[in-house]
Amino acid sequence: MPPDLPDLVLALLPLPFTLAAATIDLRRRIIPDQVNLALLVLGVGASALRGPALPQIGASLAASAAAFLLAWSLRAAYARLRGRTGLGLGDVKFMGAAAAWTGLAGLPLMILVASLSALAAFGLAVLAGRRLNGASRLPFAPFLALGLHVALLAGYAA
């Protein structure tokens, strides 16, 4: 069943910031803090429109903090085990900001879509003849952005 118009508008509302994050990450391998902050603020604001403002804002900020801490912990654990970071700090901040939009319930779908689409891109690059190995780096923001929009279209809105 296709999403109704308000759900579609909500799913497309963060698009200017997700496009900016994806484009900048592809070009410079960084997601600027200003983009992540704008995504967070707009997500908190959008969640405030969905119910009593103060509780919604609190829940949105709590989900953002929890998602950030979870992603940061995974980043730190990977760095400790492998001796190098596997996830950029901008990606961690993006996940925190995205959770303001989806809540914690939408985070698994967002990460699944992001991971599978990144894996597909890696596979296509190998099929196209690029030599990639365990140390190859791939900007993750385009895939996180896709995952965020898919989660919103699937109805996960904080």
Side-chain angles (χ1 to χ4, degrees):
M1 182 166 164
D4 61 9
L5 187 58
D7 290 338
L8 184 59
V9 169
L10 179 68
L12 296 177
L13 197 56
L15 191 59
F17 302 106
T18 58
L19 280 176
T23 303
I24 294 167
D25 197 26
L26 283 168
R27 290 183 183 160
R28 297 181 33 218
R29 306 280 170 128
I30 188 171
I31 305 171
D33 287 343
Q34 299 90 329
V35 174
N36 279 328
L37 182 59
L39 188 64
L40 172 67
V41 169
L42 188 60
V44 169
S47 73
L49 299 174
R50 299 183 74 78
L54 215 47
Q56 284 295 118
I57 290 171
S60 183
L61 289 172
S64 291
F68 173 84
L69 289 172
L70 176 64
W72 184 85
S73 297
L74 290 172
R75 178 183 192 266
Y78 182 87
R80 186 175 176 109
L81 289 171
R82 299 289 305 244
R84 61 187 169 95
T85 58
L87 189 61
L89 194 53
D91 299 320
V92 170
K93 294 173 188 175
F94 187 101
M95 285 186 231
W101 288 90
T102 66
L104 289 178
L107 208 54
L109 178 60
M110 182 187 87
I111 292 170
L112 177 67
V113 169
S115 299
L116 291 177
S117 59
L119 188 59
F122 226 70
L124 289 173
V126 169
L127 289 174
R130 285 193 55 198
R131 292 181 161 249
L132 302 173
N133 58 37
S136 298
R137 303 188 89 165
L138 183 68
F140 200 42
F143 308 106
L144 286 171
L146 176 64
L148 171 58
H149 292 289
V150 168
L152 288 172
L153 284 170
Y156 290 100

